[in-house]
């Protein structure tokens, strides 16, 4: 699914990426939608057919070989590049040794997260956040991991996706949360600056941004569709938020089914 940020005050624009076509979703709100999984899964990296999807759309060989599928991507503080064991050092140099931001977001309450500078604001839309604020910038992914570990002493790094999908999220003052957390974690941040250099962790002075989604009506109860259990997913499209389609018959996390060959019914 492709997401384009909305202009100020407008909902994000969603499109479903099918094999040959892009299906704009915002225009289909309130209309019936029927998706049928053909049973095929193609690796999003090499295109090979795979019986099972690993790490959101990879075949097993790619899952074992690609640096982007290594556990250090999810846990950047475990980066092992300097041990000489990086799966793809050149890929790492392009992706991990790039400025990263540590941000606060409000997806189902306050959370902390990290992302590459270039992934903002897509990353927040992916998570269904209604507000976000970059607070610190660092030079590498590993450093962002250490900063996130520190923040996790005070803030969750998870989204309660059920609450996110029910729209049960109160707006909050992210700038105030930033100031509170930076003050509270001052000692820990000083330790990291001692380790990586005084300029390694830079405070940002950004303004919080609001994010809006095309949703007619939030579900009161969450029922999940799953292509692995039923190849056909049908209902009236009530909204799109994060990586989820919200149908009147249930929700589906399309990210989970990346690489699945799906036809429009
Ligand atoms: Zn592959």
């Amino acid at each position: 699914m492709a997401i384009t940020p909305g202009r100020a005050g407008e909902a994000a624009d969603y499109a479903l990426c099918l094999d040959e076509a892009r299906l704009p979703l915002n225009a289909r709100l309130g209309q019936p939608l029927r998706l049928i999984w053909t049973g095929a899964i193609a690796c999003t990296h090499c295109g090979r057919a795979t019986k099972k999807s690993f790490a959101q759309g990879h075949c097993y060989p790619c899952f074992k070989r690609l640096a982007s599928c290594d556990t250090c991507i999810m846990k950047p503080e475990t980066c092992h590049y300097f041990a000489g064991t990086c799966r793809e050092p050149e890929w790492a140099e392009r992706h991990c040794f790039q400025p990263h931001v540590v941000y606060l977001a409000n997806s189902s309450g306050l959370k902390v997260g990290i992302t590459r500078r270039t992934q903002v604001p897509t990353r927040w839309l992916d998570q269904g956040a209604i507000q976000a604020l970059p607070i610190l910038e660092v030079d590498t992914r590993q450093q962002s991991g250490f900063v996130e570990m520190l923040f996790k002493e005070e803030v969750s790094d998870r989204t309660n996706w059920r609450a996110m999908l029910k729209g049960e999220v109160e707006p909050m003052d992210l700038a105030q949360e930033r100031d509170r957390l930076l003050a509270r974690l001052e000692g820990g941040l000083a330790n990291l600056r001692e380790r990586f250099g005084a300029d390694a962790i830079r405070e940002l002075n950004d303004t919080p941004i609001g994010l809006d989604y095309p949703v007619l009506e939030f579900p009161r109860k969450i029922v999940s569709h799953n292509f692995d259990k039923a190849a056909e997913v049908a209902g009236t499209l009530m909204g799109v938020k994060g990586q989820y389609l919200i149908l009147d018959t249930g929700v589906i996390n399309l990210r989970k089914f990346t690489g699945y060959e799906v036809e429009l019914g």
Side-chain angles (χ1 to χ4, degrees):
M1 198 151 59
I3 319 177
T4 315
R7 270 170 288 173
E10 281 177 31
D13 204 51
Y14 279 87
L16 202 57
C17 304
L18 302 168
D19 240 5
E20 276 136 39
R22 264 177 159 228
L23 180 73
L25 288 173
N26 294 42
R28 294 184 77 107
L29 285 188
Q31 292 176 24
L33 185 69
R34 192 160 156 250
L35 301 173
I36 301 143
W37 176 41
T38 63
I41 307 173
C43 173
T44 50
H45 185 79
C46 72
R48 207 176 345 210
T50 175
K51 281 210 174 92
K52 210 180 141 198
S53 156
F54 297 87
Q56 295 174 343
H58 294 85
C59 67
Y60 191 72
C62 285
F63 169 63
K64 294 305 278 182
R65 184 180 63 79
L66 297 174
S68 61
C69 294
D70 202 346
T71 50
C72 49
I73 293 301
M74 296 304 288
K75 294 181 176 172
E77 66 278 8
T78 63
C79 168
H80 46 96
Y81 177 90
F82 293 110
T85 52
C86 183
R87 289 178 174 183
E88 294 175 283
E90 279 166 27
W91 182 90
E93 278 147 30
R94 284 198 312 276
H95 291 84
C96 304
F97 291 85
Q98 293 292 332
H100 278 63
V101 295
V102 180
Y103 62 83
L104 295 178
N106 180 11
S107 48
S108 59
L110 188 64
K111 79 177 281 282
V112 63
I114 59 172
T115 186
R116 256 184 301 149
R117 242 308 180 202
T118 52
Q119 295 303 106
V120 167
T122 313
R123 180 93 186 108
W124 304 326
L125 292 166
D126 264 359
Q127 296 175 340
I130 60 164
Q131 296 168 291
L133 175 65
I135 57 172
L136 296 164
E137 186 182 54
V138 300
D139 290 332
T140 70
R141 187 166 182 88
Q142 187 189 33
Q143 290 171 8
S144 74
F146 284 114
V147 177
E148 189 183 34
M149 291 282 285
L150 178 67
F151 275 77
K152 273 158 72 172
E153 292 172 14
E154 300 285 332
V155 194
S156 168
D157 65 334
R158 298 287 159 94
T159 296
N160 175 343
W161 61 274
R162 289 170 188 276
M164 182 276 283
L165 285 175
K166 285 181 179 172
E168 291 169 346
V169 192
E170 292 298 320
M172 52 173 59
D173 187 339
L174 290 184
Q176 194 182 318
E177 294 294 340
R178 169 194 61 199
D179 297 346
R180 177 180 70 83
L181 289 165
L182 287 178
R184 208 170 159 84
L185 299 170
E186 207 180 349
L189 287 167
N191 288 343
L192 288 174
R193 287 191 178 107
E194 211 164 281
R195 177 167 170 193
F196 294 109
D199 296 332
I201 300 163
R202 302 173 288 278
E203 281 185 24
L204 297 170
N205 198 15
D206 286 31
T207 312
I209 69 158
L211 302 151
D212 210 358
Y213 301 86
V215 177
L216 289 182
E217 201 181 305
F218 288 109
R220 257 168 260 138
K221 210 177 102 200
I222 304 286
V223 181
S224 292
H225 287 298
N226 184 338
F227 283 128
D228 291 329
K229 290 184 181 144
E232 182 180 316
V233 170
T236 301
L237 183 64
M238 301 308 283
V240 196
K241 192 177 184 190
Q243 282 288 334
Y244 286 84
L245 294 185
I246 303 170
L247 302 169
D248 64 342
T249 55
V251 302
I252 182 161
N253 178 358
L254 288 183
R255 173 59 55 84
K256 205 169 142 184
F257 300 104
T258 304
Y260 280 54
E261 187 186 72
V262 169
E263 283 172 355
L264 206 54

